[in-house]
Structures are given as C-alpha cells and as structure tokens.
Amino acid sequence: GSGWGALLSHPIGSGQSLVGALCVAYLPTHTPPTDAQRLLAMAAVYVLQLTTQISTQSAHARARDLSLRLSGRLAAINAQIEEAVLLLTAAGTLEEINSAAARMFGYRSEEVTGLQFDDVLIGDARLTRDIHACLTAARDAAERTFDAESNLLRRSGEAFPASVRARALPEGGCLLT
C-alpha cells in the first residue's frame, strides 16, 4: 500500500480567529510515501478545500453580523415611525406590525402576528376588497398600489377614520401604511 491512512482538512475556530488544520496520518504498518510530488498534489487539493471552507465560513459570519446590525437599525427606525406599518404575508396573515400600528389599534404586536388581516383591520367592505386585490397582485408579481379611505375599529370598538395604502410586494404579501 501507499501508507496513507488519512489526509484531512478542517476549519477550526470562528470569526476573526478562524484557522484551518491539515492532518496527514499514516498506517503504522506502512511506510510513508516517498513520492513528494504525489504528497504535495494531494496536500494542495486539501489546502484548497480548506481555504474554500474558511472563506465560506468567513463570508457567512460577515453576512450574519451585517444582518444583525441592519436588523437592529431597522428596529430602531421602525420604533420611531409614527405612521402605522403592517406587513402581510401572501396568505393575508399579519407578519409584522410596528409600534405605531400597535398603539393605533390597541394591540401588542405579538397578539396579532399570525392573525388574518381582516381580524384586526376591521373596516368597510371596500378596504377588505382592496387588500385582497393587493394580495392577488403580489401573487401575480404585479406592482400595484391601492388607496382607500375607511373607518377602522380599535380593539376597544372605537371607530376612527384612516387612509390606508396597500402596496403589493414583489416577494409576495402586502405592505399596509
């Protein structure tokens, strides 16, 4: 036999301290190979795999850090917006509402997330029709915006006038403001 037991590469650590290890092991019953060219060629393949793995893990770590940073910034901006913002999924359920919408309707975000929009946005039939048309446009990947004036109801049952804009999102769902 050639004497090879294993040739292995693996990234070790994370973040800025991510390094790699290249291990070469021989079977104790065989002598190590003496063909340097073959050894270097095999080691080069594993070093290439290792650098690819390290590069990929580093890119994922940078993307994750950027995503967390942007999510934090977006949350801070969202908390300062005084206009109600509601995000609907393609199925018409509330995916997210900002703090202004929560105050306007008298709900906490976690109480209404996952509910159908018409269980929370209680208004006239035209508004419901427009939001359904917006969801249909989003499913068809059409960029459409619907504007409606309606009296909506707060959780307490109090009616208030509202101007609602429903915008179809390219990835599906609608943004209501």
Side-chain angles (χ1 to χ4, degrees), residues 27-112:
L27 294 171
T29 56
H30 295 82
T31 57
T34 56
D35 183 359
Q37 185 175 3
R38 183 167 170 242
L39 174 62
L40 290 174
M42 291 181 72
V45 168
Y46 282 90
V47 167
L48 179 61
Q49 287 176 352
L50 182 61
T51 54
T52 301
Q53 289 172 322
I54 290 172
S55 176
T56 300
Q57 285 187 12
S58 293
H60 287 155
R62 284 191 307 276
R64 184 184 63 246
D65 291 347
L66 177 61
S67 175
L68 290 173
R69 214 170 46 250
L70 292 177
S71 293
R73 288 179 184 171
L74 184 58
I77 292 168
N78 201 10
Q80 296 301 313
I81 295 174
E82 294 186 18
E83 183 177 13
V85 178
L86 301 95
L87 182 61
L88 303 182
T89 66
T93 60
L94 285 163
E95 185 173 327
E96 188 176 328
I97 70 169
N98 71 347
S99 56
R103 284 190 306 275
M104 184 181 292
F105 290 101
Y107 293 100
R108 288 188 329 271
S109 176
E110 56 273 5
E111 289 179 296
V112 295

Side-chain angles (χ1 to χ4, degrees), residues 10-21 54 57-58 61:
H10 197 289
I12 300 170
S14 63
Q16 297 296 327
S17 60
L18 184 63
V19 295
I54 290 172
Q57 285 187 12
S58 293

